[in-house]
Amino acid sequence: MLSVSTTNMIPVRRVFLSLLVLAGPTMAQGKNTPPPQEEQIAPPIVNVPYDDKLARFAEVLGSVHYLRTLCKAPGGDEWRNGMQQLLDSETGNEQQRKEKLTAAFNRGYRAFASVYTDCTPAAIVAEERYRNEGATLATEITSRFGN
């Protein structure tokens, strides 16, 4: 143990030195503990100027996919396949953008699934309008932001 003369010390210093001597073994034990694990740092969120329009486009694709499948229109799966191509080309390894666009597609799909259970004339009109909106969005996005 450490031997220190405390006869000429101020009382506060004596108390501090006593605490330091007693705490020495405890402080030494802390040096052997591994450092705390660093939390995984989330990748930065990538925002592109046309993300809002792209999300709406994905929502339209989901709506059209549901309606065309409901009405047994030819090429019903091509809309879901188109969405997959959009995800592959636009998001790459940007997981948050991919999740956002997938959620938009599913939102569009579910919006009509909750309303239409049979192919009605209104469902056919809605599908046509959404296809037109999708074509307009695709043209706007590519003409303004495409290469």
Side-chain angles (χ1 to χ4, degrees):
M1 185 154 219
L2 185 61
S3 171
V4 178
S5 172
T6 59
T7 55
N8 294 331
M9 291 188 176
I10 302 174
V12 175
R13 287 186 184 168
R14 283 186 203 161
V15 173
F16 178 73
L17 184 58
S18 298
L19 289 174
L20 187 60
V21 169
L22 292 174
T26 306
M27 292 173 68
Q29 289 175 359
K31 291 181 181 177
N32 293 333
T33 59
Q37 295 288 333
E38 292 184 25
E39 293 183 26
Q40 282 187 335
I41 299 172
I45 298 172
V46 177
N47 287 320
V48 293
Y50 54 91
D51 262 355
D52 291 339
K53 286 188 181 286
L54 205 58
R56 178 61 186 155
F57 184 66
E59 193 172 344
V60 167
L61 286 176
S63 299
V64 171
H65 173 63
Y66 175 78
L67 291 169
R68 289 186 68 84
T69 303
L70 179 69
C71 293
K72 298 179 181 24
D77 278 346
E78 74 184 43
W79 299 94
R80 186 179 44 156
N81 295 339
M83 180 62 191
Q84 187 60 52
Q85 290 174 349
L86 177 71
L87 289 173
D88 293 341
S89 65
E90 278 296 320
T91 62
N93 60 359
E94 300 163 0
Q95 189 62 31
Q96 291 174 334
R97 284 186 73 216
K98 185 175 187 175
E99 289 171 2
K100 180 181 175 183
L101 293 177
T102 302
F105 180 87
N106 291 338
R107 187 172 47 251
Y109 186 94
R110 289 184 190 124
F112 281 97
S114 67
V115 175
Y116 295 104
T117 56
D118 295 317
C119 184
T120 63
I124 294 170
V125 169
E127 185 270 335
E128 183 180 340
R129 288 182 179 165
Y130 270 69
R131 261 189 308 119
N132 290 337
E133 182 184 354
T136 301
L137 283 167
T139 301
E140 286 177 3
I141 293 168
T142 54
S143 66
R144 184 166 181 204
F145 302 102
N147 290 332

